[in-house]
Amino acid sequence: EGLELYSHAWVLFSFHANTDMPTAKADARGFKNLSKTKIRPPRGNGIKVGMLATRSPHRPNNIGLSLVKIGSVDKKGKRLHIAALDLVNGTPVYDVKPVVPWDEPGHFDGEKLKVPTWVSQDDELKSVEFSPSAREQMVKLVTDGKLAPVYSKKTGLDDAIKTIQEVLAQDPRASNTNTNKRGSESANKVYSILFASIEVQFRVDGDGVVVANVMDADLSKAEIVDGIPVLGSGH
């Protein structure tokens, strides 16, 4: 009670689906170290930085923090309705804390937030378009209830398309080597992501994305990681 008076909240959770948990043996103090202390962040175009200088889920512990918008509080049903949550279904949540003005950097001293250029640069892909056939496939999938209950049969089409466009604009392709920079692959290469229970196949050409196909996902071909289906990186 009272959380409905706030606009935003912090969600403290567990990265329970991590595929890269610490494997090193414990030292004399009982501590374990990650095998990798440096990583290549997706937006870094192949550069390596210290793991603690990123928001990578692969950390010495698997605790995560996410900022969400509070929609409503159902006191009778004891449910909190939020928006902009970036967690997978089934994620364990440890705590919820309201966001207060002094959480914002510079609230007291006026000092501006400082971040590296690879974080602040605007590298969002400029356009995400559905091919005519992909749009027709989306209509059928939503009508058939493949994205229900989040995206309803009657009104969910536009919201589902918009969400996919927002995801793909962030360029979800892997960038795990010095030579495999974001945007460097051939425009003919087809990538796949899993969106709810459907597979989205897309191509990246320059600073734009074309969704080529959308289909009911064959989860029998997906790798199951801690109960989460994961598709291959591309075809």
Side-chain angles (χ1 to χ4, degrees):
E1 186 171 344
L3 195 57
E4 71 278 3
L5 301 177
Y6 295 88
S7 63
H8 293 77
W10 298 107
V11 176
L12 193 67
F13 62 91
S14 169
F15 285 111
H16 72 297
N18 266 4
T19 58
D20 187 25
M21 298 299 291
T23 56
K25 293 182 179 180
D27 61 18
R29 299 170 297 172
F31 296 129
K32 289 186 177 182
N33 295 319
L34 284 175
S35 57
K36 295 181 179 180
T37 58
K38 286 191 174 184
I39 62 173
R40 290 187 172 92
R43 306 189 80 96
N45 280 331
I47 66 169
K48 270 192 172 184
V49 297
M51 175 265 299
L52 292 179
T54 74
R55 296 171 60 87
S56 168
H58 308 297
R59 317 186 73 78
N61 61 59
N62 63 341
I63 296 176
L65 183 68
S66 189
L67 176 66
V68 301
K69 182 177 181 180
I70 297 175
S72 62
V73 177
D74 180 359
K75 297 179 182 179
K76 185 176 180 180
K78 296 183 178 181
R79 290 180 180 272
L80 172 63
H81 298 274
I82 58 178
L85 184 66
D86 57 350
L87 311 183
V88 299
N89 186 40
T91 295
V93 172
Y94 296 137
D95 200 359
V96 176
K97 300 178 185 292
V99 175
V100 292
W102 44 90
D103 283 345
E104 183 180 353
H107 176 76
F108 292 109
D109 55 17
E111 186 174 345
K112 293 183 178 180
L113 181 68
K114 179 183 177 182
V115 297
T117 54
W118 64 265
V119 174
S120 61
Q121 65 186 353
D122 181 12
D123 59 355
E124 182 175 296
L125 296 172
K126 303 305 179 185
S127 66
V128 179
E129 302 293 340
F130 279 69
S131 69
S133 59
R135 186 170 288 272
E136 289 180 5
Q137 292 164 349
M138 279 295 298
V139 172
K140 186 176 188 308
L141 289 168
V142 172
T143 303
D144 290 347
K146 298 297 183 180
L147 294 177
V150 178
Y151 302 100
S152 66
K153 297 180 182 181
K154 293 184 178 180
T155 62
L157 178 62
D158 290 341
D159 287 342
I161 289 177
K162 181 180 178 182
T163 304
I164 292 174
Q165 289 174 325
E166 290 176 348
V167 171
L168 295 182
Q170 298 301 317
D171 196 350
R173 296 174 297 166
S175 177
N176 48 24
T177 69
N178 254 342
T179 57
N180 181 22
K181 294 177 169 52
R182 298 170 93 216
S184 64
E185 294 286 354
S186 168
N188 294 323
K189 186 174 179 63
V190 178
Y191 299 87
S192 294
I193 63 168
L194 189 63
F195 179 77
S197 61
I198 66 175
E199 179 179 352
V200 179
Q201 296 182 349
F202 65 97
R203 299 189 304 272
V204 179
D205 185 6
D207 60 358
V209 179
V210 175
V211 178
N213 292 293
V214 186
M215 64 196 74
D216 194 6
D218 183 0
L219 298 183
S220 66
K221 295 181 179 179
E223 179 184 3
I224 305 299
V225 180
D226 289 340
I228 307 298
V230 179
L231 294 176
S233 59
H235 297 282

